[in-house]
């Protein structure tokens, strides 16, 4: 087994070196799918390399509930508003306004929109969508804030809110995919309906092929798109490992994909455009606080003092990350507050807290009631280096750690079912509206801590989203971060620096505040349209 893995690594490295030395093609060579035609038109097919591959069937209720799954769906379905590199812009609604006296949003819809099957889009589809998601909740958008929706005419929609709600444009109007009533009205099981008709949207691309086994997607341009025919005829998502993505970019097999930080300068030298990410994604240590010993706050704090987050950045991330803040938000976030307990690496303080909890040191291990303290850490392979370092840190204070590596969707499922003790997971959205705090603390997703043990924290999380004044909201968020860091329902380990390289055929960019509700991926569909 070891020999086989070793040979595989050598083979992959050799492959990379061969392509590297050859200089291959890439943007300078103009080969493969990245070729422009003789008239200098945009590429007929644009190929995106992705290490995971399958993110679910790209319809609203069947895409996998992580950012890449939403992105794949967003090429097919539109929302009322969207974001480009300059902020909010019209989508199905060409204009909108907030009516403070009525606590309502009035949307003026486009009149030139057709569904992919040729049917006209009207306000009735928007009304239907809000009604449908109340009956069939959509995991990405909570519409409980919506009190009523009316349609004054075929191209106007008025959305009344139950109370002031600051994130409405970003997290509802800008994230909720609008559904075709004529198709979904008879669908009672949208979560399992994967017929091609389920992928009938108004978006710039139509689904041609989805292969779950191979993790591939193929889209073709929708010629009647209301913003004009997209610039690229076809988009392909192909599954390529992180190790092989650089070679795929260099030989023109792919137009865009992630590259390791160490190769950024080389890709720039080869003429690629390299996009650095912000710190809107975090890797965090999840605690099963519904069970002892993690139900005790002091135990979680003792674990935090024992883990050297700076070392994780230095070794695991090779310096290409920011150390995690126990308050969840990164230091370069406009809502960040530094007035929190930081749990700087302090194994002595960790042991003190364990002793206060009744543990004592014996035979090199912390013990209580005659039993050594043994904990299980659940990970996916991408976090193996983090797990090794955390295991070493916890062993230094006397904790035996069993690391268990599983496939990503299995880890998500176990976290959702509370079938774990500690797990390393991660999510984006930190750069979007700070409602992300509520989602990651109170909501019921596998990304969320699902922590309601502190009444003050819960109350503030619900109150801050109704604050329409930013200064008032910032004060509440500072207090939220302080309490969150004290309670430690999870511990952010680091915020990685990610780099996307592309061949410059399209103007890819990281959307300010993230795509939709805050997805930090440089695949905004508008890059393919205008």
């Amino acid at each position: 087994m070891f020999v086989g893995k070793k040979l595989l690594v050598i083979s992959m490295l050799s492959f990379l070196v061969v392509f590297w030395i050859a200089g291959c093609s890439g943007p300078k060579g103009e080969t493969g799918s990245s070729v422009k035609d003789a008239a200098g038109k945009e590429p007929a097919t644009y190929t995106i390399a992705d290490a995971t591959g399958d993110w679910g069937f790209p319809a609203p209720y069947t895409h996998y509930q992580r950012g890449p799954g939403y992105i794949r769906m967003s090429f097919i379905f539109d929302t009322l508003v969207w974001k480009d590199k300059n902020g909010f812009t019209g989508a199905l609604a060409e204009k909108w306004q907030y009516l403070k006296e009525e606590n309502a949003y009035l949307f003026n819809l486009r009149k030139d929109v057709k569904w992919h099957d040729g049917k006209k889009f009207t306000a009735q589809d928007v009304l239907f969508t809000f009604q449908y998601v109340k009956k069939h909740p959509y995991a990405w958008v909570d519409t409980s804030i919506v009190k009523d929706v009316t349609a004054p005419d075929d191209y106007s929609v008025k959305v009344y809110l139950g109370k002031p709600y600051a994130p409405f444009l970003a997290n509802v109007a800008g994230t909720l995919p609008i559904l075709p009533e004529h198709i979904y009205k008879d669908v009672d099981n949208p979560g399992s309906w994967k017929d091609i008709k389920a992928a009938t949207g108004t978006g710039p691309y139509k689904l041609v092929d989805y292969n779950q086994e191979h993790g591939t997607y193929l889209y073709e341009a929708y010629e009647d798109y209301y913003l004009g025919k997209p610039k690229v005829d076809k988009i392909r998502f192909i599954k390529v490992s992180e190790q092989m993505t650089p070679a795929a970019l260099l030989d023109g097999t792919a137009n865009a994909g992630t590259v390791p930080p160490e190769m950024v300068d080389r890709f720039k030298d080869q003429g690629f455009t390299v996009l650095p990410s912000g710190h809107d994604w975090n890797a965090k240590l999840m605690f099963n606080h519904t069970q002892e010993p993690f139900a005790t706050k002091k135990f979680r704090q003792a674990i935090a003092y024992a883990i050297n987050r700076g070392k994780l950045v230095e070794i695991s991330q090779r310096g290409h990350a920011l150390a995690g803040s126990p308050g969840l938000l990164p230091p370069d976030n406009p809502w960040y507050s530094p007035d929190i307990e930081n749990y700087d690496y302090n194994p002595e303080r960790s042991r003190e807290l364990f002793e206060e909890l009744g543990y004592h040191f014996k035979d090199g291990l912390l013990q209580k009631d005659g039993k050594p303290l043994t904990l299980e850490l659940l990970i996916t392979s991408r976090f193996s280096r983090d797990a090794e370092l955390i295991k070493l840190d916890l062993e230094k204070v006397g904790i035996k750690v069993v690391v268990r590596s599983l496939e990503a969707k299995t880890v998500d499922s176990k976290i959702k079912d509370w079938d774990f003790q500690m797990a390393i997971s991660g999510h984006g959205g930190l750069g979007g509206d700070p409602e992300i705090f509520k989602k990651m603390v109170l909501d019921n997703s596998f990304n969320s801590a699902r922590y309601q043990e502190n009444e003050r924290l819960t109350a503030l999380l619900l109150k801050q989203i109704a604050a329409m004044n930013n200064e008032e909201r910032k004060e509440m968020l500072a207090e939220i971060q302080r309490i969150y860091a004290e309670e430690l329902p999870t511990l952010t380990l680091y915020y990685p620096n990610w780099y996307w390289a592309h061949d410059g055929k399209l103007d890819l960019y990281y959307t300010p505040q993230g795509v939709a509700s805050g997805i930090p991926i440089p695949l905004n569909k508008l890059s393919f349209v205008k």
Side-chain angles (χ1 to χ4, degrees):
M1 178 68 77
F2 172 75
V3 173
K5 286 184 177 177
K6 192 173 181 181
L7 286 173
L8 177 61
V9 170
I10 292 172
S11 173
M12 291 167 61
L13 289 174
S14 300
F15 185 74
L16 282 171
V17 169
V18 167
F19 274 105
W20 195 253
I21 292 174
C24 278
S25 45
K28 292 179 178 177
E30 308 293 10
T31 67
S33 63
S34 65
V35 177
K36 284 187 176 181
D37 64 20
K41 293 181 179 177
E42 299 295 341
T45 300
Y46 197 87
T47 303
I48 299 159
D50 180 275
T52 300
D54 178 40
W55 292 98
F57 186 77
Y61 284 91
T62 49
H63 70 77
Y64 194 62
Q65 300 304 320
R66 283 187 176 275
Y70 183 94
I71 291 290
R72 280 155 177 71
M73 182 276 298
S74 73
F75 282 91
I76 300 171
F77 287 84
D78 282 316
T79 51
L80 290 172
V81 300
W82 196 244
K83 281 182 278 187
D84 61 15
K85 63 173 64 174
N86 299 312
F88 287 111
T89 185
L92 291 174
E94 57 185 353
K95 293 189 295 184
W96 63 92
Q97 58 179 313
Y98 175 59
L99 309 173
K100 187 176 180 180
E101 300 75 20
E102 300 180 75
N103 192 25
Y105 282 86
L106 175 63
F107 294 94
N108 300 114
L109 306 179
R110 295 180 186 274
K111 299 177 181 175
D112 55 349
V113 180
K114 291 181 181 177
W115 296 99
H116 292 162
D117 59 7
K119 301 281 187 183
K120 287 198 72 173
F121 158 79
T122 70
Q124 186 58 39
D125 292 305
V126 181
L127 288 182
F128 169 78
T129 299
F130 276 98
Q131 293 164 356
Y132 194 80
V133 297
K134 278 194 180 295
K135 187 176 179 182
H136 304 283
Y138 174 55
W140 273 68
V141 180
D142 179 2
T143 58
S144 60
I145 192 69
V146 176
K147 187 171 69 176
D148 193 16
V149 185
T150 64
D153 57 55
D154 279 352
Y155 296 100
S156 300
V157 169
K158 215 168 179 182
V159 181
Y160 296 86
L161 306 183
K163 56 186 177 182
Y165 180 60
F168 178 78
L169 273 187
N171 291 1
V172 180
T175 302
L176 181 66
I178 301 302
L179 303 170
E181 180 185 22
H182 64 283
I183 288 178
Y184 273 81
K185 64 181 180 181
D186 298 322
V187 178
D188 294 325
N189 57 340
S192 58
W193 190 49
K194 298 180 182 178
D195 188 281
I196 189 67
K197 288 173 65 178
T200 304
T202 59
Y205 285 89
K206 298 188 290 185
L207 180 66
V208 175
D209 184 63
Y210 159 65
N211 188 308
Q212 181 178 11
E213 181 183 358
H214 295 112
T216 58
Y217 298 75
L218 178 63
Y219 302 86
E220 70 176 12
Y222 177 39
E223 296 195 358
D224 291 332
Y225 190 53
Y226 55 82
L227 291 178
K229 182 187 174 186
K231 294 189 288 189
V232 176
D233 291 339
K234 293 182 179 178
I235 300 174
R236 286 193 307 164
F237 286 91
I238 59 173
K239 185 176 182 179
V240 180
S241 70
E242 290 181 3
Q243 295 85 352
M244 298 305 292
T245 295
L249 288 164
L250 287 168
D251 80 347
T253 304
N255 298 88
T258 56
V259 294
E262 294 81 0
M263 300 182 77
V264 165
D265 288 341
R266 294 178 181 179
F267 266 90
K268 287 181 178 176
D269 290 344
Q270 289 287 317
F272 284 85
T273 301
V274 179
L275 303 171
S277 70
H279 297 103
D280 300 337
W281 193 96
N282 77 142
K284 65 184 185 183
L285 188 62
M286 309 282 288
F287 300 127
N288 186 347
H289 55 76
T290 67
Q291 299 176 2
E292 292 294 351
F294 291 99
T296 300
K297 176 171 67 178
K298 188 177 287 186
F299 189 92
R300 302 192 295 270
Q301 293 173 338
I303 293 288
Y305 279 119
I307 296 174
N308 190 337
R309 302 192 301 281
K311 201 169 183 179
L312 288 177
V313 170
E314 178 187 344
I315 297 177
S316 165
Q317 299 301 300
R318 305 180 302 284
H320 299 285
L322 286 181
S325 165
L328 184 61
L329 297 182
D332 53 1
N333 187 292
W335 303 95
Y336 169 76
S337 171
D339 298 325
I340 59 173
E341 176 58 61
N342 199 45
Y343 303 97
D344 292 331
Y345 179 56
N346 190 338
E348 291 302 320
R349 178 59 181 150
S350 175
R351 288 194 195 96
E352 288 174 6
L353 292 180
F354 281 122
E355 288 173 5
E356 291 173 16
L357 290 167
Y359 292 90
H360 63 277
F361 213 61
K362 182 180 179 183
D363 299 329
L365 293 173
L366 285 174
Q367 303 205 14
K368 189 176 184 180
D369 301 327
K371 296 180 181 177
L373 179 56
T374 302
L375 301 174
E376 184 180 84
L377 175 59
L378 204 60
I379 62 164
T380 60
S381 58
R382 70 177 295 179
F383 296 119
S384 58
R385 282 183 297 188
D386 301 305
E388 290 171 14
L389 294 169
I390 289 173
K391 177 181 168 74
L392 289 173
D393 281 344
L394 294 183
E395 285 177 348
K396 286 177 186 172
V397 298
I399 301 172
K400 183 178 179 181
V401 177
V402 177
V403 176
R404 190 177 174 204
S405 183
L406 298 170
E407 187 268 338
K409 290 176 184 175
T410 304
V411 171
D412 287 346
S413 177
K414 283 185 168 291
I415 292 173
K416 183 75 166 66
D417 295 338
W418 294 112
D419 183 18
F420 74 106
Q421 284 192 304
M422 296 187 294
I424 304 179
S425 184
H427 64 82
L430 301 181
D433 188 276
E435 189 192 24
I436 187 71
F437 238 121
K438 170 188 159 294
K439 290 183 176 179
M440 291 302 134
V441 179
L442 301 181
D443 284 7
N444 195 35
S445 72
F446 54 74
N447 279 328
S448 171
R450 292 166 284 168
Y451 187 80
Q452 299 188 36
E453 304 305 311
N454 187 299
E455 293 182 2
R456 172 71 175 158
L457 177 62
T458 300
L460 282 169
L461 286 168
L462 296 174
K463 188 177 178 183
Q464 61 94 11
I465 58 177
M468 305 299 277
N469 179 295
N470 274 358
E471 287 305 312
E472 181 187 359
R473 197 176 187 195
K474 195 163 187 175
E475 287 180 14
M476 284 190 269
L477 282 160
E479 177 70 356
I480 286 169
Q481 289 171 79
R482 187 193 67 74
I483 299 173
Y484 183 88
E486 180 184 322
E487 294 289 319
L488 274 186
T490 67
L491 174 65
T492 293
L493 300 171
Y494 55 81
Y495 315 93
N497 303 331
W498 280 336
Y499 299 91
W500 270 69
H502 67 90
D503 57 12
K505 299 294 188 297
L506 296 177
D507 181 22
L508 301 187
Y509 54 86
Y510 278 97
T511 306
Q513 296 194 310
V515 175
S517 57
I519 303 168
I521 297 175
L523 292 177
N524 188 318
K525 59 187 172 186
L526 294 184
S527 293
F528 298 78
V529 174
K530 61 180 184 178

